[in-house]
Amino acid sequence: MLTELRIQNFAIIQSLELTLQPGLTTFTGETGAGKSIILDAITALLGGRAEPTFIRAGAERASIEALFLIPPTNRQAILELLQREDLLEDEESILISREIRQNGRSTARVNGHSVSVTLLRELGSFLVDIHGQSEHLSLLNVRQHLNLLDRFASSYETLTAYQQLYRELRRTQKELENLRQSEQDAARRTDLLEYQAREIEEARLQAGEEETLRQERNRLANAENLSSLAQEALNLLDEGLPDSPALTDLLGQVIQVLEGLARIDAEQNRLAEQALLVNDTLAEISRDLRLYLDSIEFNPRRLEQVEERLDLINRLKRKYGGSIEAVLAFARSARQELETIAHATERIAELEEKEKELRRQLAELAARLSKIRQNAAAQLAKAVEAELADLSMAGARFSVDLRTQPDAHGLSLNGAGDALAFDENGVDQVEFLIAPNPGEGLKPLVKIASGGETSRLMLALKRVLTQADSIPTLIFDEIDQGIGGRVGAVVGEKLWLLARQHQVLCVTHLPQLAAFGDQHYSVRKEVEGGRTSTRVELLEGDARLIELAQMLGAVTQVNLNAARETLQMAQARALQLAGRLV
């Protein structure tokens, strides 16, 4: 339920804070005062259009913030969504905000965390259902009729199971199509893959060998220089030069002197020991250099082999990947594809059998779904006609036309009869039919309903459908469009009853409807300092009577008396209805 709403610099709203209660809340005021702007702000808050044109002139940004209590009806789904996105801060409430900037960017937050608009819409779908002034136009979209019927039928579980099987069937058919296409290209493709895999496998590549080969090539190419340097180092260490003794001979002399020094001054033993350690280190260096000299290979043939091997590796890398690992992976992939091609006939047979079984299961679910819809269609028609009778359309008839289309490649329900065309929603095509006046035949709603009739039909459908809704807050923007005051009281009753199960916000121009509000807000424009702003005021007592009188035409004693009578009648009717609900 929406409990708090704050709007800043949105259209002509400079600053607005509302505290909303359960039940029916009505908003009244002159056209253009900003009633629908409040609903536009809520729509933007929940992931709707958020353009810079919404920002109040002279402001840098607009912001909307709302606090929602998590309803018990769909509490689990909301908590799972918040936990999935790591947004759960409080299991009792949700704080949602959206900021719109002049540069066209907008920021959405849930419980202080930035979220995508897609997630905002997903969360908003659990919290608020908004029906705008042209919402009844959705009834004129035949493709929406099936969704409305399913919503009434509570067929979600069966429809979900059907759609999962449908998606699995499409995946199976896609794989079959690819395999059958592959069969046609199998010979050419097999030759290419076999050549590629064999070329890589015959190279016998080893991970890491490229670096090892580069190091070996470096040693082989520089063998003479390496040998010369190593020999020079050995000469300096062990043999000396014509005009100077070897380094080891000099160090031997140093050791003798230091040993003599230590015999006289025992505290200098450390120096002699360090000299001996240096001598041992030089001896190890000499041994290592001799071993290294022995390992240096003057082998032009081996150098040529290494160069050829590196050239082969580079050529394979250019063809199949940027590294030895990538080349080996390509070979594995080629072998796997060859295996797939080799077993394509077997796999095609398996998939054909799977497709057959999926179609059988799908046909069973489609038949079950169709049966649910047929039963629900009759119930929906009866319930809508009852609502229309209350809305001064007592003679109107409403029907749900369920049709199927033959299709040789479709589903055969219950294993008998013609195969029927099917899609992700089953085999049924649905259209709402209406006969607004007695004696008229049923005809498509989209062709014959007038504006007022469509509005009342929309209300009747919403009344029937939303009673099963789990969405806590329902918003209606001028649902009374196209109907008169006589029907307005009935609409008020309908919305008041709906508000016993949901929080209902309604923008209206009819005093007969506004009088049923548990809360009544007045929305008006004020001009201050040359700027127009929207002001919203909670009406109680005489202020509410004055507003209702203005809606009746003007604030006269006659209209004040009529307003008082309208309000009293609405309150008395609400008490009667409440008594029936107990």
Side-chain angles (χ1 to χ4, degrees), residues 43-345:
T43 301
L45 174 74
L46 298 176
R49 191 167 55 94
E51 299 177 353
T53 52
F54 283 135
I55 301 174
R56 181 175 169 83
E60 289 296 321
R61 62 192 66 192
S63 64
I64 313 109
E65 184 178 78
L67 181 66
F68 293 87
L69 295 182
I70 299 177
T73 49
N74 52 13
R75 178 184 183 84
Q76 190 60 35
I78 292 174
L79 293 179
E80 287 177 0
L81 172 60
L82 294 175
Q83 288 172 339
R84 183 191 80 198
E85 302 295 333
D86 198 21
L87 298 171
L88 186 61
E89 299 288 340
D90 181 354
E91 294 191 359
E92 301 302 323
S93 64
I94 307 170
L95 182 64
I96 301 178
S97 64
R98 194 167 189 193
E99 188 177 84
I100 309 167
R101 301 188 184 93
Q102 285 286 6
N103 60 8
R105 298 177 65 103
S106 70
T107 303
R109 290 185 174 85
V110 173
N111 291 332
H113 301 276
S114 293
V115 298
S116 67
V117 174
T118 301
L119 179 64
L120 203 59
R121 291 196 194 103
E122 184 179 359
L123 180 58
S125 68
F126 290 112
L127 298 171
V128 179
D129 196 3
I130 301 176
H131 309 289
Q133 293 181 32
S134 59
E135 177 69 16
H136 63 275
L137 294 178
S138 65
L139 296 179
L140 306 183
N141 183 351
V142 176
R143 288 178 296 180
Q144 292 298 319
H145 293 182
L146 179 60
N147 294 333
L148 291 169
L149 177 61
D150 280 334
R151 179 173 157 190
F152 176 78
S154 299
S155 58
Y156 175 78
E157 185 176 344
T158 304
L159 179 59
T160 299
Y162 172 90
Q163 289 175 335
Q164 289 174 344
L165 272 180
Y166 178 84
R167 288 191 288 270
E168 179 64 20
L169 175 64
R170 287 293 178 244
R171 285 193 293 268
T172 301
Q173 291 173 331
K174 182 65 177 176
E175 186 178 352
L176 264 173
E177 181 185 346
N178 291 339
L179 282 174
R180 286 166 178 158
Q181 181 63 37
S182 295
E183 268 196 325
Q184 298 176 11
D185 304 329
R188 177 185 57 80
R189 183 67 177 161
T190 298
D191 289 344
L192 175 62
L193 290 171
E194 185 62 44
Y195 168 79
Q196 292 173 328
R198 187 168 59 250
E199 182 181 30
I200 296 170
E201 290 164 354
E202 289 177 351
R204 301 184 184 279
L205 300 177
Q206 300 294 325
E209 76 166 300
E210 187 177 11
E211 181 59 29
T212 302
L213 287 169
R214 285 200 183 98
Q215 293 175 1
E216 184 180 0
R217 179 181 62 183
N218 185 54
R219 289 194 300 272
L220 289 168
N222 294 280
E224 184 175 352
N225 191 31
L226 292 173
S227 178
S228 175
L229 291 172
Q231 186 61 57
E232 184 179 352
L234 272 175
N235 290 341
L236 289 170
L237 282 170
D238 293 340
E239 298 178 12
L241 299 175
D243 56 347
S244 64
L247 183 58
T248 51
D249 292 340
L250 291 173
L251 183 58
Q253 296 175 21
V254 171
I255 291 171
Q256 289 179 356
V257 172
L258 290 176
E259 286 176 343
L261 179 66
R263 284 193 294 271
I264 299 172
D265 186 354
E267 291 184 359
Q268 302 308 314
N269 275 331
R270 181 176 57 82
L271 294 175
E273 291 172 355
Q274 288 178 333
L276 288 170
L277 287 175
V278 171
N279 189 58
D280 291 341
T281 300
L282 290 178
E284 289 180 10
I285 292 174
S286 295
R287 285 195 300 274
D288 290 345
L289 278 171
R290 293 184 191 284
L291 291 173
Y292 179 68
L293 268 172
D294 292 339
S295 70
I296 294 174
E297 184 179 13
F298 296 90
N299 191 338
R301 176 60 184 157
R302 175 57 185 166
L303 178 59
E304 182 180 351
Q305 291 172 346
V306 170
E307 293 282 9
E308 290 175 353
R309 181 67 175 175
L310 285 171
D311 182 64
L312 171 63
I313 291 173
N314 287 329
R315 188 169 67 253
L316 292 175
K317 282 166 57 179
R318 284 193 300 270
K319 292 174 68 174
Y320 304 116
S323 65
I324 288 179
E325 289 75 14
V327 174
L328 293 172
F330 186 96
R332 288 192 296 270
S333 176
R335 283 298 176 197
Q336 288 172 359
E337 189 173 346
L338 283 167
E339 187 74 13
T340 299
I341 293 174
H343 295 88
T345 303

Side-chain angles (χ1 to χ4, degrees), residues 136 139-140 145 398 431-434 443-450 453-454 457 461:
H136 63 275
L139 296 179
L140 306 183
H145 293 182
F398 178 84
E431 184 171 9
F432 293 160
L433 307 178
I434 189 172
K443 296 180 181 177
L445 166 67
V446 298
K447 295 182 179 178
I448 66 169
S450 67
E453 288 167 344
T454 306
L457 180 58
L461 277 168

Side-chain angles (χ1 to χ4, degrees), residues 309-530:
R309 181 67 175 175
L310 285 171
D311 182 64
L312 171 63
I313 291 173
N314 287 329
R315 188 169 67 253
L316 292 175
K317 282 166 57 179
R318 284 193 300 270
K319 292 174 68 174
Y320 304 116
S323 65
I324 288 179
E325 289 75 14
V327 174
L328 293 172
F330 186 96
R332 288 192 296 270
S333 176
R335 283 298 176 197
Q336 288 172 359
E337 189 173 346
L338 283 167
E339 187 74 13
T340 299
I341 293 174
H343 295 88
T345 303
E346 297 175 16
R347 181 59 178 163
I348 287 173
E350 290 175 7
L351 289 173
E352 286 175 343
E353 191 62 32
K354 181 180 180 180
E355 180 188 22
K356 182 179 178 182
E357 177 60 19
L358 285 171
R359 290 174 68 89
R360 185 191 65 78
Q361 296 177 23
L362 208 56
E364 289 181 359
L365 282 173
R368 190 187 312 167
L369 191 58
S370 190
K371 184 67 175 177
I372 292 172
R373 287 167 175 165
Q374 289 168 11
N375 293 336
Q379 297 172 20
L380 177 61
K382 183 177 179 180
V384 170
E385 286 178 356
E387 291 291 333
L388 289 174
D390 290 342
L391 295 169
S392 298
M393 292 180 67
R397 291 178 57 216
F398 178 84
S399 178
V400 180
D401 181 29
L402 277 162
R403 300 183 306 278
T404 56
Q405 287 285 351
D407 185 339
H409 302 290
L411 296 177
S412 180
L413 305 194
N414 301 318
D418 294 334
L420 302 176
F422 68 103
D423 59 18
E424 67 272 17
N425 293 312
V427 298
D428 302 301
Q429 298 176 21
V430 173
E431 184 171 9
F432 293 160
L433 307 178
I434 189 172
N437 302 302
E440 297 180 0
L442 287 164
K443 296 180 181 177
L445 166 67
V446 298
K447 295 182 179 178
I448 66 169
S450 67
E453 288 167 344
T454 306
S455 293
R456 278 180 278 179
L457 180 58
M458 186 271 285
L459 175 58
L461 277 168
K462 294 301 180 185
R463 270 279 299 152
V464 172
L465 296 173
T466 54
Q467 290 181 70
D469 264 353
S470 61
I471 300 174
T473 299
L474 307 177
I475 299 178
F476 296 93
D477 188 6
E478 298 191 18
I479 194 173
D480 51 19
Q481 189 178 38
I483 63 177
R486 186 164 55 88
V487 182
V490 180
V491 175
E493 288 184 21
K494 300 290 184 185
L495 291 177
W496 187 90
L497 283 169
L498 196 58
R500 300 316 99 189
Q501 298 169 300
H502 305 266
Q503 180 191 44
V504 178
L505 310 182
C506 180
V507 171
T508 180
H509 288 288
L510 289 179
Q512 294 86 351
L513 192 161
F516 276 90
D518 298 296
Q519 277 186 306
H520 185 168
Y521 281 99
S522 169
V523 183
R524 65 183 187 276
K525 285 193 295 188
E526 292 183 352
V527 179
E528 184 177 343

